[in-house]
Amino acid sequence: MWPRRRIVGETLLALVLALLTALTLPNASVPRAVAVAVAVVVAVLLRRAFPGSVLVLTAVPAGALGAFWLLLMVVSWSAGSRIEAPRRALTLFAASYVLYAGLSVQQAAFPLSAPQTLLFATLGFLAAVVVPGLASRYRAQRHRLLRALHEQNAQLLREREIIASHARLRERQRIAQDMHDSLGHQLALIAVHTGALEVDRGLTDGQREVVGVLREASVAAMHELREAVGILRDGTPDRAREREDAPETVTRGAAGIDALVAAARGTRAVVQLQHTGEAMPLAPAADHAAYRIVQEALTNALKHAPGAPVTVALRYEPDSLVVEVANGPVPATAEDAGRTVVSGGQGLTGLQERARLVGGLVHAGATADGGFRVAGVLPYPRRESTTFVDTADDFRGQSGGRVPGDGGDLIDWSGPPDRQKEFDIAMGKRKKGLWIGCGGALLAFVVLGGLAVVFVVKLVGDEADKLMLDPSVYDSVRVGDTEAAVRDRLPHGRSFLAQALDSDHGAPPAPRGATCSSYLSSGDWPDGGGKAPAFRFCFRDGRLIEKRTFMSTS
């Protein structure tokens, strides 16, 4: 289906061409003009579906009547871009030329000889048919070439992305193996030794409680490490814990924050948990981000502010979950006050990145009483989509490689993606091809126009030589001379301009039964109000019976 703009354009084009063709039709009656207008409208509408047939059929009235020039140009433009096979295009354009030139030579619209008419018809056909057809063909071929290059470039981008993905996967597998071999061994040793300490009879109940917390933390860290290793290897967490005899699987979402607070209290820290509002479901990524915000904030509070009270608040707002972890100032009597704690400095940066990927934000800073506060805002999932990542450039796989809201189809890379901008710059903008095509067509028109001007000047000069007669020749001829002797002195050849001179209203009437020839004087022309001196010779029965001069008004 055509868009509305194209329908309007085609309609206007058909009406304008029909009107201009009907107005330029020579000696046309009203029924004939209407029939021609209808034929032009039909040709315009069918030129896209049947370009070759319409081109050949349009060449017939264009050559016979000479009033279908504009239609022939439009039809040749459509045929040039839609006839893909070169041989077929050459055959159809050649057949159109033969029909057009043959009918142009046969018509008697201009008193030219057959070679002259053929030359004019050839120049006109080149300008009105060949040049638009070649320009349209170049434009269509360039568009097809650019489309093929775009598809090839998109394929190369896909292959490059696949290679990069495989390289990332190999690197992730290497990192996962290193983590499993190094951290797994160390955490296993910590779990074994803390388990042994927990049953040591020499420990007090308070020490045994702390050791139990350490053992549970090391076991939980081992399971988190397994899941991280599984995700690094193949994108799925390790489910080995589910096959073990553990009482339950650790929840790493908003529901697991209670367990985090309980574990922190096991270290004899004062941690208060507050819930406000009705619990709302979160997207998986946002739910995990809430867990990580609380985990990182509690870890920082226990490291950097030992002995300070900590408050964990979960506020379920109408549009988002607000997670806030705040600790007070470090007590002066704390045992670990003033010690230096080693920190990587990447925890808060990682939290901010997690929140950004789900459309939220994280703020961290000191409070007025000397404490520290970490707050995160995590929005609830939107109804139309649960992803906050632009899938058009999602090369990190945040959205699973699928366009949201399209029924689960894979991302369509068939068109030119944004990453092909450097390709477009290298190939040039679309206007570049337009300027090249217009420049080539203009150059062809200039060349053909120059040839036509040269030909017209040469033709007029030759015809003028056949029409001009020196006054001395007129004076030397006597009435009664033989026609052969007189014509030997006259210019050879018959000029088509002489017809206008013979039918001039200023010429005297010709003798009955005589054949007359008129010529213009090549001498000085007197100022006769736009009139020119002319000579006329009349012959009958092989002799000159009359010669006269008159003032031509042609």
Side-chain angles (χ1 to χ4, degrees):
M1 297 297 295
W2 285 355
R4 182 179 303 176
R5 182 178 180 182
R6 189 169 184 179
I7 294 176
V8 173
E10 290 290 327
T11 304
L12 291 178
L13 177 63
L15 294 177
V16 170
L17 288 179
L19 179 62
L20 294 178
T21 304
L23 292 177
T24 57
L25 195 66
N27 301 325
S29 59
V30 175
R32 185 180 181 187
V34 172
V36 169
V38 173
V40 171
V41 171
V42 173
V44 171
L45 297 179
L46 295 180
R47 77 185 194 281
R48 297 178 182 272
F50 308 99
S53 301
V54 174
L55 175 64
V56 174
L57 293 177
T58 307
V60 175
L65 302 177
F68 287 75
W69 278 95
L70 292 177
L71 177 62
L72 192 60
M73 294 178 66
V74 174
V75 170
S76 63
W77 175 272
S78 299
S81 60
R82 285 170 173 77
I83 304 176
E84 296 184 0
R87 292 183 178 179
R88 185 168 180 268
L90 181 61
T91 301
L92 291 173
F93 275 82
S96 302
Y97 168 72
V98 170
L99 291 174
Y100 174 80
L103 294 173
S104 297
V105 171
Q106 291 182 0
Q107 72 171 344
F110 300 99
L112 298 176
S113 62
Q116 294 171 347
T117 304
L118 181 62
L119 182 57
F120 271 118
T122 302
L123 292 177
F125 188 84
L126 291 175
V129 180
V130 176
V131 171
L134 290 178
S136 176
R137 191 172 187 82
Y138 163 78
R139 177 177 175 272
Q141 289 179 348
R142 187 176 187 274
H143 285 180
R144 285 194 290 268
L145 175 62
L146 288 178
R147 190 181 303 110
L149 291 177
H150 269 300
E151 294 176 356
Q152 180 69 17
N153 194 44
Q155 178 66 23
L156 292 177
L157 288 176
R158 286 193 295 268
E159 294 176 357
R160 187 175 70 181
E161 205 56 46
I162 292 174
I163 294 173
S165 176
H166 288 174
R168 288 194 298 268
L169 181 60
R170 289 194 297 268
E171 183 65 15
R172 288 166 57 176
Q173 291 176 346
R174 184 190 66 79
I175 295 174
Q177 188 64 38
D178 291 344
M179 291 176 60
H180 181 273
D181 294 342
S182 59
L183 295 180
H185 176 69
Q186 300 298 332
L187 290 175
L189 289 179
I190 294 174
V192 171
H193 287 293
T194 53
L197 283 174
E198 190 176 10
V199 297
D200 190 352
R201 296 181 179 180
L203 296 178
T204 64
D205 293 339
Q207 291 174 337
R208 190 174 290 108
E209 182 181 358
V210 173
V211 172
V213 172
L214 292 176
R215 183 184 63 80
E216 292 179 358
S218 62
V219 172
M222 289 180 62
H223 290 297
E224 289 193 11
L225 176 63
R226 286 180 179 178
E227 291 191 2
V229 168
I231 292 175
L232 284 174
R233 282 178 176 172
D234 55 6
T236 58
D238 191 354
R239 298 303 181 185
R241 180 176 174 83
E242 298 178 358
R243 299 188 297 270
E244 296 179 355
D245 296 332
E248 59 180 357
T249 302
V250 178
T251 302
R252 292 174 182 84
I257 294 179
D258 293 342
L260 283 177
V261 172
R265 289 170 179 170
T267 62
R268 299 181 180 181
V270 180
V271 183
Q272 182 182 3
L273 178 60
Q274 299 176 355
H275 289 271
T276 305
E278 184 180 356
M280 299 286 291
L282 293 169
D287 195 33
H288 190 64
Y291 180 86
R292 290 303 184 190
I293 290 174
V294 175
Q295 185 184 48
E296 180 68 20
L298 283 176
T299 303
N300 290 340
L302 295 176
K303 286 195 304 182
H304 301 286
V310 181
T311 301
V312 178
L314 300 179
R315 298 198 303 271
Y316 288 92
E317 302 291 344
D319 57 349
S320 61
L321 169 64
V322 179
V323 181
E324 183 177 359
V325 180
N327 62 268
V330 181
T333 59
E335 297 179 358
D336 296 333
R339 69 171 183 169
T340 302
V341 180
V342 178
S343 177
Q346 301 297 322
L348 294 178
T349 303
L351 293 181
Q352 293 172 352
E353 180 65 15
R354 284 180 182 272
R356 186 191 67 82
L357 290 177
V358 297
L361 57 89
V362 170
H363 172 75
T367 59
D369 59 355
F372 197 81
R373 174 176 173 269
V374 177
V377 179
L378 305 172
Y380 301 135
R382 294 181 293 182
R383 294 181 180 179
E384 65 274 10
S385 176
T386 59
T387 179
F388 299 91
V389 181
D390 185 7
T391 55
D393 194 24
D394 182 24
F395 294 106
R396 292 187 294 174
Q398 299 294 334
S399 64
R402 296 183 180 274
V403 179
D406 65 345
D409 296 334
L410 293 176
I411 296 176
D412 183 14
W413 291 99
S414 59
D418 293 339
R419 297 180 64 182
Q420 292 195 23
K421 290 181 179 179
E422 67 276 8
F423 173 77
D424 294 332
I425 294 175
M427 292 301 299
K429 298 182 179 179
R430 295 180 179 179
K431 292 183 178 180
K432 180 179 179 181
L434 179 62
W435 284 113
I436 292 176
C438 292
L442 180 61
L443 179 61
F445 273 115
V446 170
V447 172
L448 293 176
L451 292 176
V453 170
V454 172
F455 175 72
V456 170
V457 171
K458 180 69 167 56
L459 178 63
V460 172
D462 293 342
E463 295 299 321
D465 291 340
K466 298 177 182 179
L467 192 62
M468 305 303 292
L469 180 67
D470 190 88
S472 60
V473 176
Y474 176 81
D475 294 336
S476 63
V477 174
R478 297 290 183 267
V479 175
D481 292 345
T482 62
E483 182 178 358
V486 174
R487 291 196 179 277
D488 287 340
R489 299 183 181 183
L490 298 178
H492 296 282
R494 178 68 173 170
S495 173
F496 67 87
L497 299 177
Q499 293 184 0
L501 192 59
D502 292 338
S503 59
D504 190 356
H505 296 291
R512 182 178 300 178
T515 303
C516 300
S517 298
S518 301
Y519 302 91
L520 290 176
S521 173
S522 62
D524 295 334
W525 291 7
D527 186 9
K531 297 183 179 181
F535 307 118
R536 191 181 71 178
F537 301 91
C538 296
F539 302 93
R540 187 173 56 195
D541 298 333
R543 291 192 175 275
L544 179 64
I545 63 172
E546 180 187 69
K547 69 171 188 175
R548 299 186 64 173
T549 61
F550 63 95
M551 298 301 294
S552 173
T553 58
S554 299

